[in-house]
Amino acid sequence: RADKLALADTSPHTPAFDTVTMGGGNAQKSAKARADKLAKAQKASKGSQLESNAKAMNIQCKVCMQTFLCTMTEAKLKEHSDNKHPKNDFYQCFPHLKA
């Protein structure tokens, strides 16, 4: 009988052992949810949008050297040319748009 008691005390099913390894309560679920949310937020925010916007600024006025996004329409560029450089021709500001 002593052998059986000694064996039972080292068993992983003793009450002291169960409280250490068992989990799944609300605190554990909340901690896992917080960790998952933090990991998702870090994964989503890999870089700033400012970096990609700076790379997309590839249209440049040759008179004042102001840069514009590559999606800028020719009408908006003409507006810049007319307002900022009324003495200069549109194609002096943006020679790469000359047809």
Side-chain angles (χ1 to χ4, degrees):
R1 181 161 193 204
D3 293 333
K4 288 181 182 179
L5 285 178
L7 193 57
D9 289 340
T10 59
S11 170
H13 299 293
T14 57
F17 191 81
D18 285 343
T19 58
V20 174
T21 59
M22 284 188 67
N26 286 338
Q28 184 180 7
K29 290 176 186 175
S30 298
K32 181 166 177 21
R34 276 193 299 275
D36 290 345
K37 187 175 179 181
L38 180 65
K40 185 178 178 182
Q42 287 175 343
K43 185 178 179 183
S45 63
K46 290 262 183 200
S48 173
Q49 184 68 32
L50 296 175
E51 293 175 14
S52 59
N53 285 352
K55 290 178 186 174
M57 299 284 253
N58 59 0
I59 298 176
Q60 186 176 36
C61 174
K62 299 301 179 189
V63 176
C64 66
M65 299 302 177
Q66 181 176 348
T67 56
F68 300 92
L69 284 172
C70 61
T71 58
M72 186 67 67
T73 62
E74 194 169 329
K76 289 288 186 181
L77 296 175
K78 177 108 175 88
E79 184 179 311
H80 166 82
S81 170
D82 293 343
N83 292 337
K84 300 288 183 179
H85 315 293
K87 295 180 182 177
N88 295 28
D89 184 35
F90 173 73
Y91 295 111
Q92 287 177 329
C93 292
F94 304 103
H96 65 284
L97 297 176
K98 196 179 277 189

